[in-house]
Amino acid sequence: MPDDRLKQLSRQFLVRTSEELALLRAQLARARSGDVAALAEIQRLVHRINGSGAMLGFNAVSDCAKQIEIILRRMESVPTDAEWRVILDQLQRIETELAKLPPPIDE
């Protein structure tokens, strides 16, 4: 039973994270236009991806989200151009890592 629950949580994480990538990209576009509220939403999303991914064993995905979270936590206002490049690179790495995984299958 616990193994079934872990599989279910893993499937939910993969589906939710795939959906949230589109939201993250939209929020990034808003944030790059100066919308500071979008930065808070990005931080919330990557914090959840980081924590859930680590808990469920999706370490590569979690590590990428963690790198974005670190940048957002330490910045004073909006990310610099170099920080934006790192954030976008880490988002791309999350997408790449998710693409390597088998698609979630409902049982």
Side-chain angles (χ1 to χ4, degrees):
M1 185 71 143
D3 192 44
D4 289 342
R5 180 68 179 143
L6 183 59
K7 286 179 184 178
Q8 179 186 15
L9 290 171
S10 294
R11 278 193 303 273
Q12 289 171 344
F13 171 79
L14 293 173
V15 169
R16 186 186 74 217
T17 302
S18 294
E19 292 169 352
E20 286 177 340
L21 284 172
L23 180 57
L24 276 167
R25 291 223 178 258
Q27 294 294 344
L28 279 169
R30 288 180 49 212
R32 290 192 81 175
S33 315
D35 184 346
V36 291
L39 287 172
E41 179 63 10
I42 293 165
Q43 192 164 11
R44 185 187 70 76
L45 289 168
V46 295
H47 179 76
R48 184 165 66 189
I49 292 169
N50 176 18
S52 298
M55 186 176 61
L56 294 168
F58 297 104
N59 297 326
V61 172
S62 176
D63 290 345
C64 294
K66 182 179 182 178
Q67 293 304 312
I68 296 171
E69 191 175 7
I70 288 169
I71 289 171
L72 294 176
R73 240 185 300 147
R74 73 172 180 227
M75 64 181 201
E76 293 182 21
S77 57
V78 295
T80 64
D81 287 341
E83 289 169 329
W84 280 123
R85 283 191 294 276
V86 172
I87 289 169
L88 292 170
D89 179 59
Q90 293 303 313
L91 254 185
Q92 182 61 50
R93 287 188 60 213
I94 292 171
E95 290 172 341
T96 300
E97 291 300 325
L98 288 176
K100 291 179 186 177
L101 299 169
I105 299 171
D106 290 328
E107 296 176 351

